[in-house]
Amino acid sequence: MNSPFILLNYKTYAQGTGKGAVEIAKACKAVSEESGIKIAVAPQLPDIYRVASEVELPVFSQHLDGIGAGSFTGHVFGKCIKEAGAVGTLINHSERRLTLAEIEASLKAAKEFGLRSVICTNNVPTTAAAAALGPDYVAIEPPELIGSGIPVSKADPEVVSGSVEAVAKINPDVKVLCGAGISKGEDLRAALDLGSVGVLLASGIVKARDPKAALEELVSLI
């Protein structure tokens, strides 16, 4: 079995801002080395360079706009995050929703700059549609469960297994991540048993009193 993939989204939590972004990344690196499990982080945009420079760990952007160089004030340019040290990006997170045209443009930009792509979805039909675009990953996250502490792998396992089946039929090269409410070892284990290759998670680790201990518990059943 290939190593699971854990992608930790810092969102804009104070605990994962500035120096905190680096400290959490160091905890992720330590647990990754101890467990052999692949862990990547998605800090806030201004912290990408800081984290990538100080910690040898894959860094993702939380967002990417489908724009090029030019008059695009306030947008996120693929070349910029790539040169800051990012190796991938989230696209269409439920807290940063995009239209289908925008998702396609963002994915095109990610591919142009050699960035791994994770398109976030909220149900089986949108997961199938996202898979048809050919990202590296789709991350199934019902928005009502995000930050709830109730893992989607328990609350709605069919949306995970259904997404895995739909993606396999449409584009078997696309991998499925499971998100929303993931925080414990049993959640990761259940997500893998349902056919996903890993998880996208946030508050359960970033806001934990001891992020390293929380990560160790997360991987304890693998």
Side-chain angles (χ1 to χ4, degrees):
M1 176 181 174
N2 293 328
S3 169
F5 177 49
I6 296 171
L7 178 53
L8 181 60
N9 178 14
Y10 289 13
K11 302 194 177 186
T12 60
Y13 294 130
Q15 297 91 331
T17 300
K19 292 181 180 179
V22 174
E23 293 307 308
I24 291 175
K26 288 179 179 178
C28 289
K29 178 177 172 60
V31 173
S32 178
E33 291 177 341
E34 292 166 4
S35 66
I37 291 174
K38 295 177 288 187
I39 303 178
V41 297
Q44 295 171 62
L45 291 168
D47 286 326
I48 289 176
Y49 181 78
R50 181 201 297 257
V51 173
S53 297
E54 296 190 33
V55 187
E56 192 174 340
L57 192 76
V59 178
F60 280 59
S61 174
Q62 294 183 11
H63 174 69
L64 172 65
D65 287 306
I67 52 92
S71 303
F72 298 101
T73 302
H75 289 73
V76 181
F77 180 28
K79 179 178 174 63
C80 182
I81 61 171
K82 175 77 171 183
E83 294 197 1
V87 300
T89 185
L90 297 177
I91 297 172
N92 193 49
H93 190 276
S94 65
E95 295 158 1
R96 189 66 172 82
R97 288 278 180 86
L98 302 175
T99 65
L100 179 58
E102 289 169 335
I103 292 170
E104 288 187 280
S106 294
L107 180 59
K108 181 180 178 182
K111 291 181 176 180
E112 178 183 353
F113 293 104
L115 295 163
R116 282 181 270 167
S117 51
V118 181
I119 297 181
C120 299
T121 61
N122 62 357
N123 55 41
V124 175
T126 59
T127 301
L133 299 176
D136 294 291
Y137 299 89
V138 292
I140 175 69
E141 286 195 306
E144 66 273 14
L145 296 177
I146 293 176
S148 68
I150 303 171
V152 62
S153 52
K154 285 187 177 180
D156 193 0
E158 291 80 13
V159 77
V160 181
S161 58
S163 292
V164 170
E165 292 172 8
V167 170
K169 291 177 182 177
I170 292 167
N171 189 341
D173 291 332
V174 177
K175 301 176 181 66
V176 178
L177 299 176
C178 176
I182 305 294
S183 62
K184 301 183 183 302
E186 61 185 322
D187 305 335
L188 174 56
R189 181 71 266 168
L192 298 175
D193 290 344
L194 288 167
S196 73
V197 301
V199 293
L200 172 64
L201 73 167
S203 59
I205 304 299
V206 179
K207 297 178 73 176
R209 181 168 297 180
D210 184 342
K212 184 172 186 290
L215 282 163
E216 289 170 338
E217 202 284 328
L218 180 71
V219 304
S220 62
L221 299 182
I222 306 303

